[in-house]
Amino acid sequence: MKVAKIIIVFSFLFPIYASAFNSGSTGADGAFNPTVDTELALPDDGVFNFTEVIIPDGVTVTFAPNALNTPVTILVSGSATIDGVIDVSGFTAAPSVGAGDGNVGDDGLPGRGGPGGFAGGRGGSPDPSTADNGPRMAQSGLGPGGGIASTTDLSNSSCYGSGGTFATQGAIAFSCRPNFFAEVYGNPDLLPLVGGSGASGGHGGASAVGSGGGGGGGALLLAVSDTLIVNGEINADGGSGGDLGHNGPQDFGTVGAGGSGGGLRLVASTIDGIGTISARGGLAGSYDNSFRPNNAVGGAGRIRIEAENLFFTETTSPPFTSDLPGELFITGLPEIRITSVAGVAAPASPTGNADIILPGDTPNPV
């Protein structure tokens, strides 16, 4: 009896945790253990099925988007250790008007979204007209919270882009009218998983193009059946607006804004580590490397951490929400696709930029 009592006491002092969460990984993609920087091509459904994941210090893993730009889903049947970097961040827009490499061919082009995120808007064209909704007006960012380009005050040299929105609203230039905020979207659970939205570009000037808006951060679901250790970085930051190589008056274009942060959802039986997890909004582009507007930044993304045993206590940006592991997917979601407009077929893999071009004599309404 005395021995039995001792065993019972020890069982209470040293409980053994059973791993109840199951990521659902089939293990079909084997173990993932890169030793150099690696870009993984996303499969059509965006889902990887690994047995284990080990990303060593000094190694960065990125993802080439698939045709439908789905989020990244990594399912792991065993454990995962992130000492390096997983990055699904949005991209910075191209520099314009002599900034950066001086390549004029990409002036005004926006930044791409990270996988599952949305691109920024193009910068406005150069034109002497200052009419409302004129050629100088920039393109709004893409996505549910795409930064909205102002339609007036095109002669105002401070009419730079509006930041992309996700969990919080992107910033806008209050000197421009009208001022429209894109609405916050999604939910803290990140179910369904969605990425960040792009920023609007900067308006064009009388003689120079505006720079493009930054792309929204992408979206990542990392689900691990056993233990997930994050000592490195997991990033879904928004891209910045494009820089301009001038600091002049309204003859020149203005800078694009920053895309919103994306969505990161980490789910495991146990999560631990001392790493960095980030889904911050991007910055506005800079003028002549000397001025960067602070009221053209992107909104924050969303970070969700779910574990039966949560030992990760580091500060994330933005702060994470947490709970026990829940459902990973919503089944039976409806889908909608635009197949044609006014008889002109839409491409199978739309980009969001001039996918459908209608003849000038196309009658309204379309």
Side-chain angles (χ1 to χ4, degrees), residues 116-209:
F118 301 89
R122 291 173 179 263
S125 300
D127 192 274
S129 169
T130 59
D132 293 355
N133 287 300
R136 289 169 63 168
M137 192 177 83
Q139 182 188 50
S140 295
L142 303 185
I148 301 173
S150 63
T151 58
T152 59
D153 289 340
L154 298 184
S155 62
N156 189 329
S157 61
S158 63
C159 284
Y160 29 77
S162 297
T165 288
F166 190 7
T168 63
Q169 290 178 317
I172 60 175
F174 286 100
S175 59
C176 301
R177 298 289 186 271
N179 289 319
F180 294 129
F181 280 108
E183 294 296 325
V184 171
Y185 64 96
N187 58 70
D189 297 339
L190 283 176
L191 194 66
L193 183 64
V194 62
S197 294
S200 74
H203 288 324
S207 59
V209 67

Side-chain angles (χ1 to χ4, degrees), residues 106-345:
D106 60 5
D107 282 13
L109 292 182
R112 294 187 291 112
F118 301 89
R122 291 173 179 263
S125 300
D127 192 274
S129 169
T130 59
D132 293 355
N133 287 300
R136 289 169 63 168
M137 192 177 83
Q139 182 188 50
S140 295
L142 303 185
I148 301 173
S150 63
T151 58
T152 59
D153 289 340
L154 298 184
S155 62
N156 189 329
S157 61
S158 63
C159 284
Y160 29 77
S162 297
T165 288
F166 190 7
T168 63
Q169 290 178 317
I172 60 175
F174 286 100
S175 59
C176 301
R177 298 289 186 271
N179 289 319
F180 294 129
F181 280 108
E183 294 296 325
V184 171
Y185 64 96
N187 58 70
D189 297 339
L190 283 176
L191 194 66
L193 183 64
V194 62
S197 294
S200 74
H203 288 324
S207 59
V209 67
S211 65
L220 167 71
L221 167 63
L222 175 56
V224 180
S225 294
D226 201 339
T227 299
L228 168 61
I229 298 176
V230 182
N231 289 326
E233 301 178 23
I234 301 179
N235 299 323
D237 297 327
S240 295
D243 294 334
L244 289 176
H246 72 82
N247 195 15
Q250 54 209 31
D251 283 347
F252 296 93
T254 57
V255 293
S260 80
L264 295 173
R265 186 180 177 204
L266 312 181
V267 188
S269 293
T270 299
I271 298 181
D272 202 348
I274 55 172
T276 300
I277 302 175
S278 175
R280 298 169 296 187
L283 303 175
S286 70
Y287 292 95
D288 202 25
N289 294 318
S290 61
F291 171 66
R292 190 182 299 273
N294 60 11
N295 55 341
V297 298
R302 299 184 187 274
I303 299 174
R304 178 75 169 176
I305 298 180
E306 301 173 16
E308 294 163 354
N309 308 297
L310 180 55
F311 303 123
F312 184 91
T313 58
E314 298 299 306
T315 300
T316 64
S317 182
F320 66 87
T321 63
S322 64
D323 205 338
L324 294 173
E327 295 294 327
L328 298 183
F329 308 103
I330 297 177
T331 58
L333 282 175
E335 295 182 359
I336 184 170
R337 291 182 63 84
I338 296 174
T339 58
S340 66
V341 177
V344 179

Side-chain angles (χ1 to χ4, degrees), residues 25-33 43 45 47-52 73-75:
S25 172
T26 65
D29 297 314
F32 180 56
N33 185 9
D45 61 359
V47 180
F48 295 100
N49 287 272
F50 294 123
T51 55
E52 69 172 0
T73 297
I74 300 176
L75 307 179

